[in-house]
Every structure is written in C-alpha cells, then in structure tokens.
Amino acid sequence: MTAELVRGQNHPLSQSRLEIRISAGTPVVAAAALGDENGRIHGVEWVAHPGAPTHPGLEVSRQAAADHRLAVDLDAMTDAVHRVSVLLALPAPGGGPVRFGAVAAPFVAVTGLDGSEIASYTITGLEAESAVVALELYRRQGAWKVRAVGQGYAGGLADLLTDQGLPEAVQLAGIINEAVVRGLARSVQAPPPRPADGDRSRQPAAPAVGPDQGGTAPQGAPGPVPPSYGGQPAGGPGQTGPQPSYGGTGTADPSATTGGPIDYSHPGRRNSAPPPPPTAPPAQPGQPAQPVAGDATGWSMEERLYNQVWGMFEDLARTTAAYRSAVDFAESRMDKELEQALSDPRSRIGGQGDATREAARARHAHLVDQAREVLDRDLVQLVAEADVVEPALPPAFARWDNPVWHAYRVPMETPMALRLGDLRLPEADRISIPMLLRLPLERGLWIDSGRADPIDGSFTDSHDMRRLAMETAVAHAARLLAVHPAGEFTVHVIDPAGSGAQPLAPLTGTGVLAAPPAQGAAGVTEVLGRLTQRVDLVQMALRGGAPDALPPGFDTSQQLLIVNDFPHGFDDRAVNQLRYLADEGPSVGVHLMMVADREESAAYGPLLDPLWRSLLRLTPVPDDHLADPWVGHAWTYEPPLVPPGSQVLHQVLTQVAAARRSWDR
C-alpha cells in the first residue's frame, strides 16, 4: 500500500534499489545531493545533476523534462553518505515559468523496480519559489527512510545549494543551467501532452521497469488543429471562434446555406474521447499478441500511427535505461565485493582470494545476463511492432524507399508531423525509430557540414561533407514541399558562392523554388530583407488584432529559407537579420535551414551561440548527438537518404511543381 506523505512525514524503506519518479507538468531540472549525517554537502562532486548525472548508487536525468525517473541504489552509497536529497528547479534559461506557483504541484513517488509505489508526495504550497527540496532519503540507525520535505527557495538553485552548506553553490548552479541549455539544444522535442482520455493503449514492453512502461509517453494532441501565426492553436483557450490560419484552407459551414442550426464550436475541437485503437487478432495459446499498425488512440489513422511511433520511441528509451541501470548496478556490486575482498589481508593471496574474486565476477555475469534477457524480450516485441508499422506509414512519415511514394499525389491537407530521419541505440541495432517532428516546425534546422566522427569509422573529407550536407538539406526541403498542399509552402535559397548548384539541381530543375538561388552579397541582402519585412508585417498585424489588414496579394504560405555556405557573403547586418529570423520566424511561418560548419563562423565568437542553440542540429552522416526527451540517451541519428539511383525525388518534385503551376493560375 502506498504511503501518501505530507510535509515532514517519513516512511521506512524496505528496498535498497529504488526509482524516484517525478511528474511536474512542465519541464523541470532534477538533481540529487548527497549529505553527511548533518545533511552537509562536502563538495560539488556530492551533487548529481544534468552536467554530471551519475554517482555511485545514483543517476539523474541529463536534461530538463516534465517527467523524470531517478535511479537509486542505497547499498552502493558510501558509509559517509547519510542523506540523499532530491532537488527540483525550474530551468533558468528559456521562456518557461519562473515560479512553481504558476504551474501544477509537482508529484514525487518512490517506487520499487517493479513500479510499485512505496511512498508519494505532492508538493503543495509553493508560490514564488523556483527551486525546492522535494524529499530526502536518510539513514537512521542503519535503516533508510524517506521524508517529505517541500522546502522551496525563491532564489533558485544557488540559494538552495547555499542553504545545504555548499561553498561553490553559485558556480554549480551556473554549471547546471549551462548543462540544461546544452541538453535542450540536442533534445528531440516531445509531442505536446494529450488529455487523459487520449492515453496510448499498448501493452508494456518492459515489465522490469514498471507496469506503466508502455503507457506514459507524452503524445500529440488529438485532432490536428491548424496553428495560427500567433503561436496558439486556433480555437485555443479563451477563443470563442476560429482564428485565422495563414496558409490554411477554410471550409464553409453547410448549415449556413441550408438554414440548419449553426454549430459555434471550433471544428478542430474534440469534446469526446477518441475512438479506441484497432483490436489485434487473438493470439494463439502460449504465443504473444500480434502487433497491429495504428495500435494507439487517435482521431485518424495518421494520428494513431504518430502516437504509436512516439510510444515505441519511449518504450525503447525506457527499456534500454532499465538495462543500463541493471548493468551499472552489477558493476557497482562487483567493484564493492572486490574492494571488500582486497581490504582483508587474508583474502589477498591464496585460493580463498581467487575464489572470492571469481564468485564476484560470476554474480556480475549472472546479473548482466538477466538484464540482457529482459531487454531482448522487449526488443522482440518492438521489432515485431516496427515491422508492421513501417509499411503502413503515410508519405510524411515514410522513408524514401517506401513504396508509398510511388503512388504519391499532392495532398489536400498538411500532415501533423514529418519524418526527419531515424534514431537508433547501440543496444538495439535491430530496430530504428522514425524521427517524427510536429508541423509546423517550432525550431529551425541546422545541417552540420563540419568535420564529424562517423559511427562506422569511415573518413569523409570536407568537400564531400559539404556536398552531403547540401544533399541532405535538399531531401528535407523536398519532403516539406511534398507533404504540403499546393501553394502552401514556399522555398527560398541563399547560395552566395554558387557552390551548391549541383546538389540543388532537383529543386532548381523541377521549378519548385520561388526564385533562382540568391548569389553574392546583394542576393543575401535582398532575400533576408524581404523575409525580415514579412515577419515584421505579420507580427504587427497579429499584435494589432487585424490579421486581415495584410497587403493585397500577400503570400500566406509557410516559408523556408535554405542558407548555404554561411557566413560567406554575410555582413554584420545580414547576420543580425538571420538571428532575427531564427528567433521570430517560426511563430509567423518563416523557417530557417542552415547548411554550415560552425567552425567557419568562429570569428563571431559567442555572438552566434544563441543562433546555433536555437536550431535543431542534424548531420549528413550517422552521428550520436541527439537525445530523447525522457531519459536523455545519446541516440544515433541517421539522415533520410534517397536510395542511390532512385528517381523518387525527381518524380515527387515534378508533381509538386505541376500542382503549384495549376494553383498559380
């Protein structure tokens, strides 16, 4: 039975290996501080945080997230540790909430490895505080207990750590905030949370890490609602009718002409639960249930598949985290046993010492084999699910080698998401997860053409890297053009030196670009000036509450600017305009795709650091630089390459160009 604690209450712990689960409803930073019997932190190395997430017997998340799972092994704590304090803080950088009083009360639960709750605590009563000691695990007379604390600090992490007796509190708080910024820059953005009635219905993939393994993924909102340029969904909170959506398509209400009753609710709103997922065929006795494509809730097959892919993504992240945690525990236990054996002079030599060491290694191998068996069982289920999901994906979610592209037709509606590549983990090389990002894109893209350390150990010179980076950018742009209705997505290109002419041939040859690639400093100035003015006009119209006041003939489609060879051809004014587009453009339908080597712009120093951080970095070759939003694993990203010799890109772009010409008439 779960003990629901109130502030100051404690509860005994009967297990030594625990998980601390945190649910905050908004991204928070989770850390853990180790203290002596007086609760004092002896140094920065006694704090596990996103910049240094592991400590003997303790592991915390590597980035800010709305949900966390902290792994604790009390038996692996040193004798000097008598207290483990769980710390939560709102991220200092970014535009999120700055006090806990403005968000839902954080919930913290201490669970066993099977997911059963031992104790829980809802942290209420917070107002101006931006950091809080949620709870603490403490040792008293050889036994461990958990106590609900709920002590908040308006001064953030610096004040909290200072109160814990850490002399380097301010410096450590800065290190943690910088680690959070880096983590957010490399993290694949999770879909927005859905209402409770839209939870994903899937069987758990990894019972070893808790019964909610397959059902906690934050999924996309039901019913894709066309977003307005103001950054809020049409018909969002406080709205009583549909809001304008530039580049969207409107549908007249038939009752307005037939005399029937008028429905004033927004057509994108759903007031009832989505239909249940399709039912899997009954399994044979003794056999696991067969996976089904679309085995998730949603209003359409597209949304079901999207939610299912993100559920598979989370399942793989969490089951791998459980495996890694088990391996770390096995290694920690073996090291402790070997250390104890070596500390006894009688066991250092002779047969007794050898037997002790061999027994420790055998127990380590047994624990690792058990963990691998659980992981392999989960991977079998995920691989089987991927085998049925991949062929069922629509063009926006499918790889270029999927046969669905051979039946491609220009769509009538914009999809809810787009595939930007695939993600893999080294422990699970049998399965790749489609990297799906919601549309419209909330961040610009950076195709890194700099030097890389390929996973396969191959060497690619700088010239080939630039070519591959531009080909990757073209493939992304072609997919964006292909998944939007005719006339609702426009692509511009800046290629100051003309070095991207060959990779750009699929775009220029089919005529899908708004204009030929801009070259030279004059071309850079003209394109940036035009798009900057566009952002200003739309922002002024929205802020003034007069979106219909835009100039006649104003192109309301989404805009994409591809920039090659940055910073060649850019003066200081152009650099500032580029930063402005990266920051302000996505909210008004202007998106940026940089093809650049960061080292070539090193002369600008830290001036461009915010630009690079604001963009989602992708690579033209496989690279393990992206993180998931739940655990923070380093995932190997694989770009969406067109199969060699395939004409699919040319065929798709030809249809896009023909549809655009028909639409322009």
Side-chain angles (χ1 to χ4, degrees), residues 274-536:
T279 303
Q284 297 296 325
Q287 298 294 324
Q290 295 300 310
V292 177
D295 184 16
T297 55
W299 291 99
S300 64
M301 179 55 75
E302 178 193 49
E303 186 182 3
R304 289 174 175 175
L305 288 168
Y306 170 82
N307 291 337
Q308 187 173 15
V309 167
W310 269 91
M312 293 165 57
F313 188 10
E314 184 180 13
D315 286 349
L316 183 54
R318 293 204 186 279
T319 192
T320 304
Y323 169 74
R324 292 181 179 180
S325 177
V327 171
D328 289 343
F329 169 74
E331 293 177 351
S332 174
R333 176 174 173 173
M334 182 180 67
D335 291 343
K336 189 173 183 178
E337 291 176 350
L338 292 176
E339 182 180 353
Q340 290 175 346
L342 292 174
S343 65
D344 186 354
R346 293 171 299 178
S347 62
R348 292 180 186 173
I349 57 176
Q352 182 181 354
D354 292 340
T356 301
R357 286 187 285 271
E358 186 61 31
R361 295 188 182 99
R363 281 190 289 270
H364 169 269
H366 177 67
L367 289 173
V368 172
D369 289 343
Q370 278 186 323
R372 186 71 214 192
E373 182 180 350
V374 173
L375 176 65
D376 288 341
R377 182 190 67 209
D378 296 339
L379 290 181
V380 167
Q381 179 178 343
L382 286 170
V383 169
E385 188 171 11
D387 287 343
V388 299
V389 168
E390 187 70 46
L393 295 177
F397 300 175
R399 289 195 296 252
W400 285 112
D401 59 358
N402 192 311
V404 72
W405 285 106
H406 296 295
Y408 169 77
R409 295 294 182 270
V410 177
M412 299 298 291
E413 295 181 353
T414 302
M416 65 187 303
L418 182 81
R419 187 173 188 157
L420 290 179
D422 292 270
L423 298 169
R424 292 181 183 270
L425 286 174
E427 293 90 347
D429 55 0
R430 292 176 289 168
I431 181 173
S432 63
I433 302 294
M435 179 179 166
L436 303 182
L437 263 66
R438 288 293 290 261
L439 291 177
L441 298 175
E442 296 181 6
R443 299 171 63 183
L445 304 178
W446 166 28
I447 316 300
D448 191 353
S449 61
R451 290 176 296 180
D453 298 320
I455 302 298
D456 58 5
S458 61
F459 173 76
T460 307
D461 62 28
S462 58
H463 176 75
D464 287 340
M465 279 296 291
R466 289 190 178 93
R467 175 183 56 80
L468 289 172
M470 200 62 199
E471 289 177 352
T472 302
V474 168
H476 287 314
R479 185 180 289 263
L480 282 163
L481 283 164
V483 302
H484 282 83
E488 293 195 13
F489 198 84
T490 304
V491 177
H492 311 266
V493 176
I494 290 179
D495 187 21
S499 59
Q502 183 176 353
L504 285 168
L507 299 179
T508 56
T510 54
V512 294
L513 296 180
Q519 297 185 356
V524 171
T525 301
E526 191 275 329
V527 173
L528 290 178
R530 178 157 37 87
L531 291 177
T532 300
Q533 183 183 39
R534 174 192 177 85
V535 172
D536 290 339

Side-chain angles (χ1 to χ4, degrees), residues 494-499 518-521 524 563-570:
I494 290 179
D495 187 21
S499 59
Q519 297 185 356
V524 171
V563 178
N564 186 34
D565 263 358
F566 177 81
H568 181 78
F570 283 73

Side-chain angles (χ1 to χ4, degrees), residues 67-116:
D67 299 284
H68 294 269
R69 293 189 183 185
L70 282 58
V72 180
D73 180 9
L74 298 175
D75 287 343
M77 299 290 175
T78 63
D79 293 338
V81 175
H82 287 259
R83 186 174 302 177
V84 181
S85 300
V86 177
L87 318 178
L88 304 180
L90 294 170
V98 296
R99 60 187 185 91
F100 276 110
V103 300
F107 174 80
V108 185
V110 179
T111 74
L113 293 186
D114 60 355
S116 59

